[in-house]
Each structure stands twice: as C-alpha cells, then as structure tokens.
Amino acid sequence: LIESIVLYEDSILDGRNRYRACIEAGVKPKFVQYEEDDPLGHVISLNMQRRHLNESQRAMTAAKLATMKQGSRTDLEPSADVRKVSQSEAANMLNVSERLVNYAKKVQRELSEEVQQAVSAGELTISRALADQKNATRAATIQKQADSIATTG
C-alpha cells in the first residue's frame, strides 16, 4: 500500500478501493485520521488531481454536490452533520461555471438515467445531451402536427 487510507469520523473518507484491494490481497491497510475542517474539499481536491474529468463530468459532480436548495438561509446551522453546499460553491470547487451546474441539474431532472450516466462517464457533453433532447422534442412536435394534418385532411 503506497498511500494510506484516510478516515474521518470512523468512516473511510478517501481510499475505499485501496481498502478493498488490501483486504483481497491479505495486506494490512494503513490508516490516517483526517484532522482538518473541510473533508468535502479534501476529497474533491484529491479526486481532481487523480482523475482527468472533462468540464461536463465536473459539472455533473458539482450538481450532485450542490445540496442547498435555491433560496435557503445560510445563517442557520445545518440540520445534519453534512455541510450544505450551494451551486455556486460546488461550481467553484470543481472549476466550472454556475451556469453549467444549472444545466447539469437540468440533465439530472429531465433526462434518462442512461443519458446522465453517459455524461458522467465523459461519453456525452451536457450541451449535446440537452441539444439532443430539444431536437427530439421538436421532431415529436412536428410528427404530431403531421399526423394531425393527415387524419383531418
């Protein structure tokens, strides 16, 4: 094991796959305790260094991180131990625009799980996914109008 597994509040913060690999290989895992005050930022920073994510993948991740509802009060303590993250904060953490995070949220709300997975895997961009949806909607509307004309004419 080259890099230790990072624990935070008795849970694995970073190194889930390393832990599984150690167990499977019969190697004793090495653990370190995370002692700072921003576990979410820590994990994002490490993963941004390790993975080469495109802008759409980062925006989809930011959209998942953004747990604060639009218009929520920021002066109140969170009701759970999990820190609420605004879309703006998530966008900054993942180095994407807030607008792209909004589009990623739209992909999550309106498009199929298959399309969402394709964007998250880097196989499709957010803009292409939304354009394809718009084109499909437009084509369905035109077909409906054509069918209506054919049945009345």
Side-chain angles (χ1 to χ4, degrees):
L1 180 64
I2 295 171
E3 199 170 324
S4 296
I5 296 158
V6 181
L7 300 177
Y8 177 70
E9 296 181 352
D10 299 322
S11 295
I12 294 176
L13 178 64
D14 181 59
R16 247 182 5 260
N17 292 329
R18 277 175 269 148
Y19 178 75
R20 279 192 222 120
C22 284
I23 298 304
E24 287 178 21
V27 173
K28 184 177 179 183
K30 290 186 261 177
F31 298 98
V32 295
Q33 192 67 36
Y34 180 76
E35 303 282 338
E36 296 176 35
D37 62 352
D38 187 13
L40 180 60
H42 177 74
V43 170
I44 290 169
S45 174
L46 289 175
N47 282 291
M48 290 294 290
Q49 292 171 19
R50 284 187 202 129
R51 293 164 180 40
H52 301 287
L53 303 178
N54 67 34
E55 191 175 44
S56 289
Q57 290 173 295
R58 293 193 317 270
M60 290 294 283
T61 302
K64 290 175 187 170
L65 280 174
T67 55
M68 185 179 290
K69 300 288 183 215
Q70 195 73 19
S72 291
R73 289 182 58 180
T74 58
D75 59 333
L76 301 175
E77 288 294 316
S79 57
D81 288 339
V82 178
R83 180 171 80 97
K84 303 264 189 234
V85 178
S86 71
Q87 286 188 14
S88 177
E89 287 177 295
N92 286 334
M93 287 177 176
L94 284 130
N95 195 29
V96 293
S97 70
E98 194 172 345
R99 179 181 290 194
L100 192 57
V101 176
N102 286 329
Y103 287 143
K105 285 277 191 191
K106 183 173 183 170
V107 168
Q108 291 174 344
R109 277 191 318 271
E110 298 178 11
L111 302 185
S112 71
E113 184 67 30
E114 182 181 12
V115 171
Q116 293 176 46
Q117 288 175 358
V119 175
S120 292
E123 299 164 2
L124 188 64
T125 64
I126 289 172
S127 59
R128 171 55 43 208
L130 293 173
D132 288 351
Q133 176 204 32
K134 188 175 183 179
N135 290 338
T137 302
R138 187 178 297 138
T141 301
I142 291 169
Q143 184 61 49
K144 193 173 185 180
Q145 289 170 347
D147 291 347
S148 176
I149 291 168
T151 57
T152 58

